[in-house]
Amino acid sequence: MKRVMPIPARERGAALLAVLVLVAIMGALAAAAFEKLRLSTALAANHAALDQARAYAVGVESLLTLRVDDLIAASPERTTLEGDWNGTVRRIPLPGGVGVAGAAVRDGGNCFNINSVVQGAAATGLTPREFGIGQFAGLLHLLGVPDNEARRIAESAADWADSDMVPSGAGAEDSAYVSGERPYRTGNTLFAETSELRAVAGMTPEIYERARPWLCALPTSDLSPLNVNTLLPDQSILIAMLAPYLISPQIAREALAARPASGWESLSDFWSHPALARLVLPFDAQTQPQLRTRWFALDMKVEVRGSELIETALVDARIAPSRLVVRRWGSAD
């Protein structure tokens, strides 16, 4: 008969400890597996909710585009602020109570079009436009940027978009960017986003943050099509930008504040305002403002089952029916 040796006192409980350690390890592995399963389930639910929100956003786009068509049909020759449509957010309940969409239409052309620093078309070649460069530099000056810095940024923006590789006087082409810590090249085409300006020579985060609310990147090199019937007095800096150093923001504000309730019927009425009539302005500046809006911006925020989707879009209303030309998901920058 085999003799069983007694377990030393110092080793008693070792087997139990081994079992407890094993149980703890198994518990940790199970908890990690359940956490990954929970995270995967949550991610799948979020993806499904975002896909649904994106589908609803496309539907809201259609509603807002119809709203734009109604605005144009109601007043084909002029676009005014009548109807309280410009920037007013409307909440749209979604089917089944799954969420809500916030939607707004605003004038998408009341901004400085950064693509106006060049002229022409991307397919046939883009060249610097001195008048647009001067307006961009003037806008930056009005925002407190020193003249030499403003001019460098404006000319560099034109060099960024134009089709050649020859830098302008204060501008910059590929040679100024390839030698940096993170080399890159110019776009040599129209700006797709205002955020591209952050890569332009002379632009700093502080200047970009200051200028961003006044900028847009329209899909055309046309001069900024400011609608004097929808501009607000707080946007008088844009009128001053038309002819920097000739029109002051104070004069522009005075003129916009005096606008008739139904809007100006002609550009002559606008320029005949006493605050502006005595100014001698370049012909391009006089003909640049508009009475009818072509570009409308759509702002949407769709909330579905705790998930949030932000979309901005641009509508071209030059020819009826209006058509969507740009769609962006997420924030502008």
Side-chain angles (χ1 to χ4, degrees):
M1 184 174 181
K2 190 174 182 180
R3 184 179 177 184
V4 178
M5 297 295 292
I7 300 174
R10 68 176 181 275
E11 296 182 10
R12 290 174 183 172
L16 177 60
L17 179 60
V19 172
L20 292 176
V21 170
L22 182 60
V23 170
I25 293 174
M26 294 295 292
L29 292 174
F34 279 119
E35 176 61 20
K36 287 187 176 181
L37 179 61
R38 185 196 67 79
L39 181 60
S40 297
T41 303
L43 287 174
N46 286 341
H47 279 301
L50 285 174
D51 284 342
Q52 190 174 19
R54 189 171 286 109
Y56 282 127
V58 172
V60 174
E61 281 176 9
S62 300
L63 289 175
L64 296 182
T65 304
L66 289 174
R67 173 62 172 149
V68 169
D69 287 335
D70 289 343
L71 285 170
I72 299 301
S75 182
E77 303 300 325
R78 294 183 297 151
T79 307
T80 69
L81 296 175
E82 290 183 342
D84 192 28
W85 59 270
N86 191 26
T88 301
V89 178
R90 290 174 171 78
R91 295 179 65 81
I92 305 172
L94 300 179
V98 297
V100 65
V105 178
R106 55 185 171 83
D107 194 310
N110 285 342
C111 48
F112 175 75
N113 176 24
I114 59 175
N115 286 318
S116 66
V117 295
V118 292
Q119 57 191 347
T124 57
L126 297 165
T127 58
R129 174 191 273 130
E130 181 56 37
F131 197 74
I133 293 172
Q135 287 189 337
F136 191 15
L139 174 64
L140 294 175
H141 169 78
L142 291 167
L143 294 172
V145 180
D147 284 342
N148 58 335
E149 293 182 39
R151 187 70 190 184
R152 182 190 180 199
I153 293 170
E155 291 195 12
S156 296
D159 282 337
W160 183 277
D162 69 16
S163 302
D164 64 39
M165 294 294 179
V166 181
S168 56
E173 283 285 358
D174 287 357
S175 57
Y177 303 109
V178 297
S179 59
E181 183 179 347
R182 296 181 177 179
Y184 56 93
R185 301 179 62 184
T186 57
N188 293 123
T189 189
L190 297 178
F191 288 88
E193 299 279 353
T194 56
S195 58
E196 288 183 52
L197 276 174
R198 293 182 294 188
V200 167
M203 181 62 75
T204 66
E206 295 75 20
I207 295 176
Y208 179 77
E209 191 68 23
R210 202 182 310 170
R212 175 65 188 90
W214 306 98
L215 306 177
C216 58
L218 301 178
T220 174
S221 62
D222 295 342
L223 292 172
S224 309
L226 307 178
N227 185 346
V228 293
N229 278 332
T230 58
L231 275 171
L232 302 175
D234 289 344
Q235 297 174 299
S236 59
I237 190 174
L238 294 173
I239 294 295
M241 172 205 72
L242 292 174
Y245 310 103
L246 294 177
I247 306 175
S248 70
Q250 293 76 19
I251 288 177
R253 176 184 287 270
E254 182 181 339
L256 291 174
R259 179 176 57 215
S262 58
W264 280 292
E265 295 187 1
S266 68
L267 288 179
S268 297
D269 292 342
F270 170 69
W271 291 119
S272 297
H273 185 273
L276 301 170
R278 62 179 178 271
L279 301 177
V280 180
L281 302 175
F283 179 75
D284 286 344
Q286 295 182 47
T287 57
Q288 184 174 340
Q290 308 290 317
L291 299 176
R292 180 186 185 276
T293 296
R294 172 182 176 180
W295 305 101
F296 289 85
L298 313 181
D299 299 316
M300 290 158 280
K301 182 168 73 173
V302 182
E303 299 173 9
V304 175
R305 297 190 178 95
S307 295
E308 181 180 278
L309 179 75
I310 296 175
E311 179 189 338
T312 57
L314 189 68
V315 169
D316 184 354
R318 183 172 62 93
I319 300 175
S322 303
R323 61 189 182 92
L324 194 78
V325 294
V326 176
R327 178 190 290 134
R328 302 179 181 92
W329 305 111
S331 63
D333 294 321

